[in-house]
Amino acid sequence: GQQLNQSPQSMFIQEGEDVSMNCTSSSIFNTWLWYKQDPGEGPVLLIALYKAGELTSNGRLTAQFGITRKDSFLNISASIPSDVGIYFCAGQLLSGNTPLVFGKGTRLSVIA
Amino acid sequence: DGGITQSPKYLFRKEGQNVTLSCEQNLNHDAMYWYRQDPGQGLRLIYYSQIVNDFQKGDIAEGYSVSREKKESFPLTVTSAQKNPTAFYLCASSPRVKNSPLHFGNGTRLTVT
């Protein structure tokens, strides 16, 4: 199936630091989504992006839909311990009626 | 409260046995999905259904089967043909397949020994 390249694979940061992660693809997407998964739970939607260039915030989280439609990034400002988890990007291909494509996730660890 | 319910949370089976994982949603969503999650592998699509009585294979359908007899329910059977069935299984739903965020259940951890 289609691939989304999500990076970094894992991050260890100090509490209070800002975090940035991104997803790229060779295909064009018309929707980008960012999810967070806590251990042993299902992923929860953080931010949804539907237009190229769109920049959306949700509290300390900010995500952008790349203008080429082939990438997206997620920033977390002033990280706190509860930010720990796995962050997934997901994209909807422009063509066809196919399910979302998911990245492999970024595992975030926050050191207090 | 609307949501997706997966049961049980933990499931243990002996090798060679078929096992069925339950997924129920009361969100009135047309589309439902099953994903498998292994460490470092992300979410891999097993099967999805766009409407009742219809379903399509995902990227890793071999060794699995599904049914969609009711809009609310999308059970997944892990058959004895699945070579590595031990994993975390996630069910999800969305209003439709195209341009709809997925809502996930809290998963079932299956251990086969």
Side-chain angles (χ1 to χ4, degrees):
Chain A
Q2 286 286 338
Q3 293 288 325
L4 282 180
N5 300 310
Q6 184 170 353
S7 65
Q9 192 173 2
S10 62
M11 305 179 74
F12 290 84
I13 61 168
Q14 293 279 351
E15 185 178 354
E17 286 184 355
D18 296 344
V19 173
S20 185
M21 59 191 78
N22 69 82
C23 274
T24 62
S25 176
S26 57
S27 301
I28 293 175
F29 290 81
N30 63 10
T31 299
W32 283 98
L33 305 168
W34 286 92
Y35 287 85
K36 183 194 177 198
Q37 184 181 29
D38 290 326
E41 305 291 327
V44 173
L45 181 67
L46 298 173
I47 293 178
L49 303 159
Y50 297 105
K51 284 187 190 177
E54 182 179 355
L55 184 73
T56 297
S57 294
N58 178 6
R60 294 177 296 106
L61 278 60
T62 301
Q64 184 158 29
F65 192 141
I67 57 172
T68 65
R69 294 187 168 196
K70 295 181 180 181
D71 61 349
S72 176
F73 71 74
L74 174 71
N75 287 341
I76 305 173
S77 62
S79 58
I80 59 178
S82 62
D83 290 335
V84 164
I86 303 177
Y87 292 79
F88 290 101
C89 63
Q92 179 81 64
L93 285 167
L94 180 63
S95 60
N97 188 29
T98 54
L100 293 173
V101 179
F102 279 85
K104 290 191 175 183
T106 295
R107 183 178 293 274
L108 179 64
S109 299
V110 179
I111 305 165
Chain B
D1 275 338
I4 300 177
T5 302
Q6 289 187 243
S7 60
K9 181 69 175 173
Y10 299 95
L11 195 51
F12 297 88
R13 279 293 183 272
K14 294 286 189 187
E15 195 174 321
Q17 292 179 335
N18 291 355
V19 59
T20 297
L21 282 60
S22 168
C23 179
E24 304 278 330
Q25 55 102 355
N26 60 5
L27 299 167
N28 200 33
H29 286 170
D30 283 327
M32 296 188 75
Y33 313 77
W34 276 104
Y35 289 87
R36 171 181 172 139
Q37 186 174 24
D38 298 284
Q41 293 288 327
L43 304 176
R44 293 186 290 170
L45 183 64
I46 305 173
Y47 269 99
Y48 68 102
S49 167
Q50 300 193 56
I51 199 165
V52 174
N53 292 324
D54 182 59
F55 48 83
Q56 286 83 41
K57 292 182 179 179
D59 298 319
I60 56 164
E62 186 175 345
Y64 299 97
S65 66
V66 293
S67 62
R68 186 86 187 277
E69 296 176 4
K70 297 187 301 181
K71 188 174 186 177
E72 302 79 19
S73 179
F74 191 40
L76 173 74
T77 297
V78 184
T79 75
S80 56
Q82 169 50 233
K83 292 187 175 61
N84 296 297
T86 294
F88 189 54
Y89 290 88
L90 285 161
C91 179
S93 72
S94 64
R96 56 195 175 279
V97 170
K98 190 81 172 172
N99 292 336
S100 291
L102 269 59
H103 299 253
F104 284 90
N106 277 330
T108 292
R109 184 165 298 280
L110 173 65
T111 303
V112 177
T113 57

